[in-house]
Amino acid sequence: MGIVMTSATEASKEEPAISLKEFFEDVPPAAQKSVKEAFAYSNGDLVLALPQIMLHCSSDICSGRRLFHHTKAPTLYISPQRQPNDVYIYYFCKNCGGSRKTFALTVRVPEEPSTGLASLMKLAEHPPFGPPTPARVATLVGSDRDLYFKGLRAENQGLGIAAFAYYRRVVEDRKGAIIDEIIRVAEKVGGTPELLAELAAARKETQFSAAVDTVKIGIPPALLINGHNPLTLLHSALSEGLHADSDAVCLELATSIRVVLASFVERVQSALSDEKELSNAVSRLLQKNSSKQKNAGSS
């Protein structure tokens, strides 16, 4: 069964037309949009008026948002018998030249291309649409990596119930790994024996909710997210999602789970780095002080 697309004129009645730049940067796959100023001519052929766009480049050189430029735009057919046009668009990072972004599109060209209004659907893109996943999050989710990225794809497509279900599985399955990270920080910053005992007991629990209830003593302050325990925040989202009555609510909760996980791993890394830096600083000062004392004693 083919994809049914409405015309750009019909689509624009429902919502304002957007630019091609907005379409490539902000529109998830499976969404149809009316796009303005969409066409140009190249050597007499009708093509998409491809702009330069800002995307995340994951290369070691860039590792952030960079300007991407396109390769040659494919020719579009105007005749009704050739509608819609299925095309691939390729973009490369303008900074490092190594990262490529591929878009698969369906383009419906109007009978009068001079209007510049087109109906576009993004069929797919690679790397996938959405915010980049920090490497430390990928490490934390470990063997549940596939589930996490299924949740991410569902979230990007606005499928709230599916996204929540995937993220919930990840959090429950990776309970032990999450608590292990808290234990690492607690040991580094001098957590009390009582806290470490509670965390060890929580890790043995089979259910995430029971693990959260086990930890009565506050976790290291460096791991708090806006003053809140990340375990409690995750538990709250999981509990609320079980009783959510709409896809929209599940989508909000799914996004919250992803954001809290990302913030948690950042705080873990920051806490461990700060502690290592502090230890090195103290060690250097002690060595200098020891050297001064030896020099003073020998003089």
Side-chain angles (χ1 to χ4, degrees):
M1 182 184 228
I3 294 174
V4 179
M5 294 182 66
T6 59
S7 68
T9 304
E10 292 172 334
S12 64
K13 291 178 181 178
E14 299 176 4
E15 57 183 49
I18 62 175
S19 68
L20 269 172
K21 187 174 188 298
E22 291 172 308
F23 177 80
F24 284 117
E25 292 178 355
D26 303 329
V27 175
Q32 180 183 348
K33 295 291 180 180
S34 176
V35 178
K36 59 187 177 182
E37 301 175 356
F39 302 116
Y41 283 92
S42 175
N43 297 323
D45 294 328
L46 184 70
V47 297
L48 286 174
L50 297 176
Q52 295 190 106
I53 57 178
M54 291 292 292
L55 298 172
H56 179 83
C57 177
S58 58
S59 73
D60 293 337
I61 297 174
C62 299
S63 189
R65 283 180 66 80
R66 295 292 185 271
L67 197 63
F68 276 61
H69 66 99
H70 57 84
T71 58
K72 182 181 178 181
T75 299
L76 299 174
Y77 297 99
I78 303 175
S79 64
Q81 292 80 10
R82 303 295 295 270
Q83 301 303 315
N85 292 258
D86 292 329
V87 298
Y88 285 97
I89 306 294
Y90 302 99
Y91 274 89
F92 287 86
C93 176
K94 200 170 183 179
N95 184 56
C96 70
S99 292
R100 183 172 84 167
K101 183 78 167 184
T102 304
F103 296 95
L105 311 179
T106 289
V107 184
R108 180 172 289 281
V109 181
E111 294 182 6
E112 295 293 335
S114 58
T115 63
L117 199 64
S119 182
L120 273 68
M121 178 179 286
K122 189 184 288 184
L123 301 177
E125 61 183 270
H126 184 79
F129 175 83
T133 299
R136 295 185 185 94
V137 171
T139 300
L140 179 68
V141 299
S143 59
D144 285 309
R145 182 187 180 93
D146 287 344
L147 283 176
Y148 178 85
F149 283 106
K150 285 180 180 179
L152 186 60
R153 286 193 292 272
E155 181 191 351
N156 291 334
Q157 294 172 12
L159 305 175
I161 294 175
F164 174 80
Y166 284 124
Y167 287 155
R168 180 171 177 264
R169 280 275 307 278
V170 170
V171 171
E172 292 180 339
D173 288 353
R174 302 303 294 172
K175 167 189 65 64
I178 293 171
I179 294 175
D180 281 344
E181 292 299 287
I182 298 176
I183 292 174
R184 285 178 64 201
V185 174
E187 289 176 340
K188 284 288 185 181
V189 301
T192 65
E194 291 80 9
L195 171 59
L196 293 173
E198 286 188 355
L199 290 171
R203 199 192 186 293
K204 295 178 181 178
E205 294 288 348
T206 56
Q207 294 184 332
F208 187 79
S209 57
V212 174
D213 290 339
T214 300
V215 183
K216 306 297 183 183
I217 300 174
I219 67 172
L223 299 183
L224 298 179
I225 299 175
N226 291 343
H228 298 283
N229 184 334
L231 292 176
T232 304
L233 292 174
L234 290 171
H235 178 251
S236 176
L238 295 183
S239 299
E240 189 174 343
L242 291 175
H243 305 288
D245 57 0
S246 73
D247 196 68
V249 171
C250 282
L251 184 60
E252 290 180 359
L253 293 170
T255 300
S256 297
I257 291 171
R258 175 178 55 78
V259 170
V260 167
L261 282 176
S263 181
F264 170 71
V265 295
E266 287 177 4
R267 280 164 169 74
V268 168
Q269 181 62 28
S270 178
L272 294 175
S273 298
D274 290 348
E275 187 63 25
K276 182 179 180 180
E277 186 176 0
L278 177 60
S279 297
N280 290 338
V282 171
S283 178
R284 285 194 297 268
L285 290 173
L286 290 175
Q287 287 176 358
K288 287 183 178 181
N289 187 48
S290 176
S291 296
K292 286 181 180 180
Q293 290 177 350
K294 287 181 180 180
N295 292 335
S298 61
S299 60

